[in-house]
Amino acid sequence: MARVGTDRASVAAADRVLAGVSRLGSRMRVERPRTGLSLAVLGVLLRLSVRGTMTTGALAASLRVAPQSMTRIVAGMAENGLIDRSADPDDRRQILVSMTEAGRRVFDEDTRTRRAWLAAAMDAELTTAERDLLRIAGDLMVRLADWQPPTD
């Protein structure tokens, strides 16, 4: 089997993307308002915002945490009114998780400041073509984040 991503061009590109993602990620954390929400809770809200209702197992897998950890996170979020839990009608052993209106408000408030900072920085520093390119790069990064290596 051929090794993936080991040619010099791929490694150099990966280094630049990693540096950019790391620096921008650090800056975005600095721009976060002090809401007291953990990154795990925000991760769940982000997944639910993008994908809609999910099982706790799917949430755990998408965030790469143990199912037991996700069960604890989801329980706390339900107690705080950020999510609703219900039995999966197709598989009663599964729990479906959906974002409440309160969860949507909290998520939107947490992301508003960072989104505003990023939009202002993009307007100030980038040309229209560069902003378009960055939007495409964002789509590609989302695609890469979901990639799994083939199993033998």
Side-chain angles (χ1 to χ4, degrees):
M1 181 168 118
R3 292 177 53 181
V4 177
T6 55
D7 68 83
R8 286 182 187 223
S10 292
V11 171
D15 284 345
R16 291 301 300 152
V17 170
L18 184 57
V21 167
S22 296
R23 288 193 61 197
L24 186 58
S26 293
R27 180 59 189 262
M28 297 307 287
R29 283 188 292 281
V30 167
E31 296 299 326
R32 267 191 79 212
R34 302 283 181 230
T35 61
L37 296 177
S38 71
L39 292 178
V41 167
L42 287 174
V44 169
L45 292 175
L46 173 62
R47 292 309 185 288
L48 294 174
S49 175
V50 171
R51 297 183 182 169
T53 300
M54 298 175 70
T55 65
T56 53
L59 279 167
S62 74
L63 291 167
R64 292 178 174 39
V65 299
Q68 299 86 347
S69 296
M70 185 53 61
T71 299
R72 285 190 297 276
I73 293 166
V74 164
M77 292 176 73
E79 287 175 19
N80 291 320
L82 301 175
I83 55 139
D84 283 326
R85 295 179 290 183
S86 60
D88 184 335
D90 297 326
D91 183 350
R92 306 294 286 172
R93 298 169 295 171
Q94 296 290 324
I95 300 296
L96 293 175
V97 179
S98 58
M99 189 183 316
T100 63
E101 188 55 42
R104 169 63 58 198
R105 282 193 306 273
V106 167
F107 177 72
D108 288 347
E109 179 182 324
D110 190 87
T111 58
R112 184 177 304 118
T113 303
R114 289 177 288 154
R115 186 182 303 118
W117 175 86
L118 186 56
M122 290 169 64
D123 285 345
E125 292 293 320
L126 304 178
T127 66
T128 300
E130 288 171 328
R131 285 192 302 273
D132 290 343
L133 185 60
L134 195 55
R135 181 193 49 76
I136 292 167
D139 291 341
L140 296 174
M141 286 187 275
V142 168
R143 215 168 91 200
L144 289 173
D146 291 335
W147 181 78
Q148 296 292 326
T151 57
D152 290 336

